[in-house]
Amino acid sequence: MKALHKSGQKETVQNGAWRNRPRPDKGVRNWGVRNWGVRNWGVRNWGWVRLALLLLAVLLALPVGLSPAAAQEPIPRRNLFDYLFGGPRYERDDRYERPAPYGRRRYDRDGSIIEMKPRPRRSTGRAAAPRPVQPIAPPAPEPVAKLENAKHVLVVGDFMAGGIGSELETAFATAPGVAITERSDGSSGLVREDHFDWAAELPAMLDEVKPAVVVIMLGANDRQQMTIGSTKEKFRSDAWFKEYERRVTELVGIVASRKLPLLWVGLPSFQSPTATADAVTLNAIYRNQAEKAGGEFVDIWEGFVDEDGKFIITGSDVNGQQVRLRGSDGITFTKAGKQKLAFYVEKLARRHLGEMASPDVVKLDGSNLPALSALPASPGQAIPTHPISLSDPELDGGKDLLGAAPLPSLLVETPRDKLVRRGELAPAPAGRIDDYRVPAATR
């Protein structure tokens, strides 16, 4: 039910009750409209203010092209807008060199400026350890021409024997009386006769070279299966060791039958413990068979192990410097290792070569004799001499033989004469330890 209020406001009945909605008076209505507009303007336009501030920050953040002169100006500091809205990051232009830092200046008494070097900065970190100084290798000696009658040293064996041969050539490069001949096969041994049969090839080498000393080094490739007749024997079996010892004896006998000095070089230690144990067993075979035939066994074991007998990669070279001796595989040798290996052989080889190993050996013939300053007299030319008589005693101004005149008598008897003739001993000087005289009492 609707009814009209006396003030002109509509009244509505809801749920059986009258609810009045009074309208404000005219003065109140006018004030509310004006003030309501102010409040609405502030709320509506606050978003525009935020948008304007954001646009202003974007304009400030836009990069501005700098001239080359301006690029050298100091970099401006970042302001609050840069931190809030991610302002530009200033970077140096690498096209322009940075000016050198000014050194310290000191003014002299007369007003002139003295440029001083800037002080070095102290490093806060720990100083780096100095690198070890690598030993400088001496220059290789220049080889000399070998004599026609030079003694030859024949080196045979596997890849280790090849290293011995090359370093022996360097060691005897200045010795004209020694020539090194190296005949090696890197993959050979005494097991694989199908690859290289040393017992069949060695006699022809001896006939060709006619060496004064024979050096043999084998065994590094022999740790494998061996074919004996039609059977194949595994390594370390009894049949394998028996056949291997026979082949070593056969090779040694070829050299011994020609009455040549034999130097059998033993195996070194290896990085593998199993290979090292096998090398010890094979070295025992080499030593026994070589010494039975009158040869010498060159033991190099101590040169390539430490104090405990273990394998080493780095050790002392021939000059006592710490260098790398073995390769990364634990089998081969480096340049310094080969030199040390050949050093053991060189010492024994020089004993058999004798004076021919000296660098002072020269060939005496007409090509290297010194020029004579005076020619000898011809057979028909007479040389005048004064006649002398060997029986003339006045020839040299004396008539008596040497020792015929008595010795001059000494006027003063020496302490030795007193002791020998009369048994008297001269008194000891005062103050000496054997002076037993009692000093006189002083009053």
Side-chain angles (χ1 to χ4, degrees):
M1 178 179 182
K2 299 181 179 180
L4 184 62
H5 196 265
K6 62 180 180 179
S7 59
Q9 182 181 2
K10 293 181 180 181
E11 295 180 356
T12 306
V13 178
Q14 295 180 356
N15 299 329
W18 294 92
R19 185 173 182 180
N20 299 326
R21 288 182 175 274
R23 293 182 178 179
D25 296 336
K26 184 177 181 180
V28 177
R29 185 170 60 249
N30 295 334
W31 178 87
V33 170
R34 289 193 300 270
N35 289 276
W36 181 256
V38 173
R39 289 194 300 270
N40 289 342
W41 180 90
V43 174
R44 294 173 182 175
N45 293 278
W46 177 245
W48 293 99
V49 173
R50 294 178 60 186
L51 181 60
L53 292 177
L54 181 60
L55 292 176
L56 180 61
V58 172
L59 293 176
L60 293 176
L62 290 177
V64 182
L66 299 177
S67 62
Q72 299 180 6
E73 296 296 329
I75 299 176
R77 301 179 61 183
R78 301 178 68 185
N79 51 28
L80 179 60
F81 286 99
D82 296 337
Y83 287 103
L84 292 177
F85 302 103
R89 295 182 178 273
Y90 299 95
E91 299 181 356
R92 297 186 181 274
D93 195 346
D94 296 336
R95 295 176 298 174
Y96 306 100
E97 298 181 357
R98 298 179 61 182
Y102 293 100
R104 298 170 54 217
R105 293 185 177 182
R106 184 167 60 87
Y107 294 88
D108 205 355
R109 294 182 178 179
D110 57 355
S112 61
I113 301 176
I114 302 176
E115 295 290 342
M116 302 179 64
K117 296 181 179 180
R119 295 180 179 178
R121 295 182 178 180
R122 297 181 179 179
S123 59
T124 57
R126 184 176 297 178
R131 295 182 178 180
V133 180
Q134 297 293 337
I136 301 176
E142 296 183 0
V144 297
K146 303 300 181 180
L147 301 178
E148 295 179 359
N149 59 340
K151 293 185 177 181
H152 290 264
V153 177
L154 178 61
V155 183
V156 297
D158 51 19
F159 64 94
M160 292 189 177
I164 294 177
S166 61
E167 294 304 324
L168 284 180
E169 290 181 0
T170 305
F172 291 102
T174 58
V178 177
I180 306 298
T181 303
E182 179 255 321
R183 300 289 177 86
S184 62
D185 187 282
S187 303
S188 64
L190 297 179
V191 173
R192 292 288 305 275
E193 292 182 343
D194 57 334
H195 172 73
F196 196 92
D197 191 357
W198 280 107
E201 299 292 338
L202 184 58
M205 296 179 184
L206 297 178
D207 295 336
E208 177 187 355
V209 180
K210 295 181 175 56
V213 180
V214 180
V215 179
I216 300 177
M217 186 173 187
L218 290 167
N221 301 319
D222 290 343
R223 299 175 58 253
Q224 56 181 309
Q225 180 179 267
M226 180 189 300
T227 302
I228 306 175
S230 59
T231 61
K232 295 183 178 181
E233 293 292 339
K234 294 183 178 180
F235 177 56
R236 301 188 189 92
S237 63
D238 294 339
W240 191 97
F241 281 115
K242 184 177 180 180
E243 176 63 20
Y244 192 80
E245 184 175 353
R246 186 196 67 80
R247 296 183 182 185
V248 173
T249 305
E250 181 183 5
L251 194 64
V252 170
I254 295 174
V255 180
S257 62
R258 298 171 183 258
K259 307 297 182 182
L260 296 175
L262 171 63
L263 301 179
W264 191 297
V265 185
L267 295 176
S269 62
F270 298 100
Q271 191 171 12
S272 171
T274 306
T276 301
D278 295 336
V280 174
T281 305
L282 296 179
N283 282 341
I285 298 176
Y286 305 147
R287 182 189 295 271
N288 295 333
Q289 300 305 317
E291 292 179 352
K292 285 181 180 179
E296 295 182 78
F297 177 76
V298 184
D299 191 355
I300 63 171
W301 190 269
E302 296 296 332
F304 300 95
V305 295
D306 58 7
E307 297 178 355
D308 299 330
K310 297 181 180 179
F311 170 84
I312 58 173
I313 294 181
T314 303
S316 301
D317 62 355
V318 293
N319 298 319
Q321 302 293 333
Q322 291 294 315
V323 296
R324 188 182 181 92
L325 301 175
R326 307 298 291 271
S328 58
D329 56 0
I331 300 175
T332 57
F333 291 91
T334 61
K335 176 71 174 179
K338 294 177 182 178
Q339 290 178 353
K340 190 172 184 179
L341 186 62
F343 178 73
Y344 285 92
V345 181
E346 179 188 354
K347 293 189 300 181
L348 298 178
R350 287 185 179 274
R351 295 191 312 180
H352 297 283
L353 297 173
E355 296 180 354
M356 297 298 290
S358 174
D360 300 330
V361 176
V362 294
K363 181 179 180 181
L364 298 178
D365 56 5
S367 61
N368 52 14
L369 290 177
L372 298 177
S373 59
L375 295 177
S378 59
Q381 184 178 0
I383 300 177
T385 57
H386 297 283
I388 59 174
S389 177
L390 297 179
S391 60
D392 187 4
E394 300 291 341
L395 184 63
D396 58 352
K399 299 179 180 179
D400 299 329
L401 298 177
L402 184 62
L407 296 176
S409 60
L410 299 177
L411 300 179
V412 179
E413 194 175 15
T414 61
R416 171 185 172 279
D417 296 336
K418 293 180 180 180
L419 180 60
V420 173
R421 295 176 183 177
R422 299 193 299 269
E424 297 179 359
L425 185 63
R432 202 166 70 177
I433 191 171
D434 57 345
D435 182 16
Y436 302 109
R437 292 174 296 184
V438 179
T442 59
R443 295 182 179 179

Short mmCIF file of all heavy atoms in Angstrom, two decimals, residues 253-273:
data_model
loop_
_atom_site.label_atom_id
_atom_site.label_comp_id
_atom_site.label_asym_id
_atom_site.label_seq_id
_atom_site.Cartn_x
_atom_site.Cartn_y
_atom_site.Cartn_z
N GLY A 253 124.06 -68.58 -25.76
CA GLY A 253 125.09 -69.45 -26.32
C GLY A 253 125.60 -68.98 -27.67
O GLY A 253 126.77 -69.21 -28.02
N ILE A 254 124.74 -68.32 -28.46
CA ILE A 254 125.19 -67.81 -29.76
C ILE A 254 126.27 -66.76 -29.58
O ILE A 254 127.27 -66.73 -30.32
CB ILE A 254 123.98 -67.24 -30.54
CG1 ILE A 254 122.99 -68.36 -30.86
CG2 ILE A 254 124.43 -66.54 -31.81
CD1 ILE A 254 121.70 -67.86 -31.51
N VAL A 255 126.11 -65.89 -28.59
CA VAL A 255 127.12 -64.85 -28.34
C VAL A 255 128.36 -65.45 -27.70
O VAL A 255 129.50 -65.10 -28.05
CB VAL A 255 126.52 -63.73 -27.46
CG1 VAL A 255 127.55 -62.64 -27.20
CG2 VAL A 255 125.28 -63.15 -28.12
N ALA A 256 128.16 -66.37 -26.76
CA ALA A 256 129.31 -66.96 -26.05
C ALA A 256 130.16 -67.81 -26.98
O ALA A 256 131.39 -67.91 -26.79
CB ALA A 256 128.81 -67.79 -24.87
N SER A 257 129.57 -68.43 -28.00
CA SER A 257 130.36 -69.26 -28.92
C SER A 257 131.32 -68.44 -29.76
O SER A 257 132.32 -68.97 -30.26
CB SER A 257 129.40 -70.04 -29.83
OG SER A 257 128.63 -69.14 -30.63
N ARG A 258 131.08 -67.15 -29.89
CA ARG A 258 131.97 -66.28 -30.65
C ARG A 258 132.95 -65.52 -29.76
O ARG A 258 133.64 -64.61 -30.24
CB ARG A 258 131.14 -65.29 -31.47
CG ARG A 258 130.25 -65.98 -32.49
CD ARG A 258 129.29 -65.00 -33.13
NE ARG A 258 128.40 -65.70 -34.06
CZ ARG A 258 128.55 -65.68 -35.39
NH1 ARG A 258 129.54 -65.00 -35.95
NH2 ARG A 258 127.69 -66.32 -36.16
N LYS A 259 132.98 -65.86 -28.47
CA LYS A 259 133.91 -65.25 -27.52
C LYS A 259 133.74 -63.73 -27.45
O LYS A 259 134.71 -62.96 -27.40
CB LYS A 259 135.36 -65.58 -27.88
CG LYS A 259 135.66 -67.07 -28.07
CD LYS A 259 135.43 -67.84 -26.79
CE LYS A 259 135.77 -69.32 -26.99
NZ LYS A 259 135.53 -70.13 -25.76
N LEU A 260 132.49 -63.28 -27.45
CA LEU A 260 132.20 -61.86 -27.38
C LEU A 260 131.67 -61.50 -26.00
O LEU A 260 130.89 -62.28 -25.41
CB LEU A 260 131.17 -61.47 -28.45
CG LEU A 260 131.60 -61.65 -29.91
CD1 LEU A 260 130.44 -61.33 -30.83
CD2 LEU A 260 132.80 -60.78 -30.23
N PRO A 261 132.03 -60.33 -25.47
CA PRO A 261 131.46 -59.90 -24.18
C PRO A 261 129.96 -59.68 -24.32
O PRO A 261 129.49 -59.05 -25.29
CB PRO A 261 132.20 -58.60 -23.89
CG PRO A 261 133.44 -58.65 -24.72
CD PRO A 261 133.07 -59.41 -25.95
N LEU A 262 129.19 -60.21 -23.37
CA LEU A 262 127.73 -60.11 -23.39
C LEU A 262 127.25 -59.31 -22.18
O LEU A 262 127.66 -59.59 -21.04
CB LEU A 262 127.10 -61.50 -23.38
CG LEU A 262 125.57 -61.55 -23.19
CD1 LEU A 262 124.87 -60.86 -24.36
CD2 LEU A 262 125.10 -62.98 -23.02
N LEU A 263 126.38 -58.34 -22.44
CA LEU A 263 125.72 -57.56 -21.37
C LEU A 263 124.22 -57.75 -21.55
O LEU A 263 123.63 -57.24 -22.50
CB LEU A 263 126.09 -56.08 -21.47
CG LEU A 263 127.57 -55.71 -21.39
CD1 LEU A 263 127.75 -54.20 -21.54
CD2 LEU A 263 128.17 -56.19 -20.09
N TRP A 264 123.60 -58.52 -20.63
CA TRP A 264 122.15 -58.74 -20.67
C TRP A 264 121.52 -57.78 -19.66
O TRP A 264 121.75 -57.88 -18.47
CB TRP A 264 121.78 -60.17 -20.35
CG TRP A 264 120.33 -60.47 -20.66
CD1 TRP A 264 119.24 -59.91 -20.08
CD2 TRP A 264 119.84 -61.39 -21.65
NE1 TRP A 264 118.09 -60.41 -20.62
CE2 TRP A 264 118.42 -61.32 -21.59
CE3 TRP A 264 120.44 -62.24 -22.56
CZ2 TRP A 264 117.61 -62.09 -22.42
CZ3 TRP A 264 119.63 -63.01 -23.38
CH2 TRP A 264 118.23 -62.93 -23.31
N VAL A 265 120.68 -56.87 -20.16
CA VAL A 265 120.05 -55.85 -19.32
C VAL A 265 118.75 -56.42 -18.76
O VAL A 265 117.90 -56.92 -19.51
CB VAL A 265 119.78 -54.56 -20.12
CG1 VAL A 265 119.24 -53.47 -19.20
CG2 VAL A 265 121.06 -54.10 -20.80
N GLY A 266 118.59 -56.35 -17.44
CA GLY A 266 117.39 -56.86 -16.80
C GLY A 266 116.20 -55.93 -16.98
O GLY A 266 116.31 -54.79 -17.45
N LEU A 267 115.02 -56.42 -16.61
CA LEU A 267 113.78 -55.66 -16.72
C LEU A 267 113.64 -54.72 -15.53
O LEU A 267 114.05 -55.05 -14.41
CB LEU A 267 112.58 -56.59 -16.78
CG LEU A 267 112.47 -57.50 -18.01
CD1 LEU A 267 111.28 -58.44 -17.85
CD2 LEU A 267 112.34 -56.66 -19.27
N PRO A 268 113.01 -53.54 -15.72
CA PRO A 268 112.73 -52.65 -14.59
C PRO A 268 111.41 -53.01 -13.94
O PRO A 268 110.70 -53.93 -14.39
CB PRO A 268 112.68 -51.27 -15.26
CG PRO A 268 112.11 -51.57 -16.61
CD PRO A 268 112.63 -52.93 -17.01
N SER A 269 111.06 -52.28 -12.90
CA SER A 269 109.75 -52.46 -12.29
C SER A 269 108.68 -51.79 -13.15
O SER A 269 108.97 -50.89 -13.94
CB SER A 269 109.74 -51.83 -10.88
OG SER A 269 109.98 -50.44 -10.96
N PHE A 270 107.44 -52.24 -12.99
CA PHE A 270 106.32 -51.70 -13.75
C PHE A 270 105.26 -51.19 -12.77
O PHE A 270 105.26 -51.51 -11.58
CB PHE A 270 105.73 -52.76 -14.67
CG PHE A 270 106.70 -53.25 -15.72
CD1 PHE A 270 107.36 -54.47 -15.54
CD2 PHE A 270 106.95 -52.51 -16.85
CE1 PHE A 270 108.25 -54.93 -16.49
CE2 PHE A 270 107.85 -52.96 -17.81
CZ PHE A 270 108.50 -54.17 -17.63
N GLN A 271 104.34 -50.39 -13.32
CA GLN A 271 103.29 -49.83 -12.47
C GLN A 271 102.33 -50.92 -11.97
O GLN A 271 101.81 -50.82 -10.87
CB GLN A 271 102.52 -48.76 -13.25
CG GLN A 271 101.58 -47.93 -12.39
CD GLN A 271 101.02 -46.75 -13.15
OE1 GLN A 271 101.15 -46.66 -14.37
NE2 GLN A 271 100.38 -45.84 -12.45
N SER A 272 102.13 -51.95 -12.76
CA SER A 272 101.27 -53.06 -12.35
C SER A 272 102.03 -53.95 -11.36
O SER A 272 103.14 -54.40 -11.67
CB SER A 272 100.84 -53.87 -13.56
OG SER A 272 100.18 -55.05 -13.17
N PRO A 273 101.47 -54.22 -10.18
CA PRO A 273 102.16 -55.11 -9.24
C PRO A 273 102.38 -56.51 -9.80
O PRO A 273 103.41 -57.13 -9.52
CB PRO A 273 101.22 -55.13 -8.01
CG PRO A 273 100.40 -53.89 -8.14
CD PRO A 273 100.23 -53.66 -9.60
#
